[in-house]
Amino acid sequence: MEDLAKRVGERLAASGQVLAIAESCTGGWVAQAVTAIAGSSDWFDRGFVTYSNDAKQEMLGVRADTLARHGAVSEHAAREMAQGALARSKATVTLAVTGVAGPGGGSAEKPVGMVCFAWASRQGARTEAMRFSGDRESVRRQSVVHALEGVLKLLTSAESGHT
């Protein structure tokens, strides 16, 4: 994870980009991973830990209608979280992660291990839902890694002219 966070930082710094993070089920772990890298203040602006629906609405502008219709664990909510982080920071790139880490809280529609991600820039946003296995810590760890890998993909797409 440290190597991955370091690569993200190098790519952000090289392209003059700045990252902000909106997290729910990872509880600030992505922000911890990137701020563990010396010099991260050059390319990391801020993190939003929005565990409750109220926090998602108040801090990131996630719409109540989105939460009512799709739930906090949805690609729709993740997209609005990432877009909200972009609008409420100095970042040029954002990521959002929201999911069911377990061991409880899952349902048939949204089982334990379901995690939704979004990555956004001024050029647009991309979302993805994943299903991870393992215990709570494993689901959260896999989510942090996937979120950071998504930032690398976003930066690669931007460099090649795609979003």
Side-chain angles (χ1 to χ4, degrees), residues 145-162:
V145 169
H146 192 74
L148 292 172
E149 288 172 341
V151 173
L152 289 176
K153 286 181 187 174
L154 179 71
L155 294 170
T156 301
S157 293
E159 289 167 3
S160 65
H162 302 95

Side-chain angles (χ1 to χ4, degrees), residues 10-94:
E10 289 168 353
R11 292 289 297 279
L12 287 163
S15 62
Q17 302 280 336
V18 176
L19 178 67
I21 299 167
E23 301 182 69
S24 186
C25 67
T26 48
W29 197 347
V30 183
Q32 189 281 328
V34 299
T35 58
I37 306 305
S40 57
S41 60
D42 292 337
W43 47 266
F44 179 66
D45 181 48
R46 69 190 72 186
F48 299 88
V49 179
T50 56
Y51 210 69
S52 70
N53 285 353
D54 284 346
K56 288 173 183 64
Q57 291 175 275
E58 292 167 13
M59 294 175 70
L60 297 170
V62 175
R63 295 176 301 138
D65 181 62
T66 299
L67 296 170
R69 292 180 66 208
H70 304 286
V73 179
S74 67
E75 290 182 61
H76 295 87
R79 179 184 300 271
E80 290 186 21
M81 289 170 66
Q83 291 170 329
L86 195 62
R88 291 163 172 79
S89 71
K90 297 186 182 336
T92 56
V93 174
T94 61

Side-chain angles (χ1 to χ4, degrees), residues 1 4 8 21-31 33-34 51 73 95-102 111-119 126 128-152:
M1 192 180 305
L4 179 58
V8 166
I21 299 167
E23 301 182 69
S24 186
C25 67
T26 48
W29 197 347
V30 183
V34 299
Y51 210 69
V73 179
L95 73 86
V97 57
T98 181
V100 184
V112 169
M114 180 179 172
V115 182
C116 298
F117 300 87
W119 299 270
R126 179 177 74 83
E128 183 175 23
M130 297 291 292
R131 174 85 188 272
F132 299 118
S133 60
D135 63 12
R136 182 178 180 82
E137 182 172 350
S138 178
V139 168
R140 294 175 75 222
R141 177 178 295 279
Q142 292 171 81
S143 297
V144 172
V145 169
H146 192 74
L148 292 172
E149 288 172 341
V151 173
L152 289 176

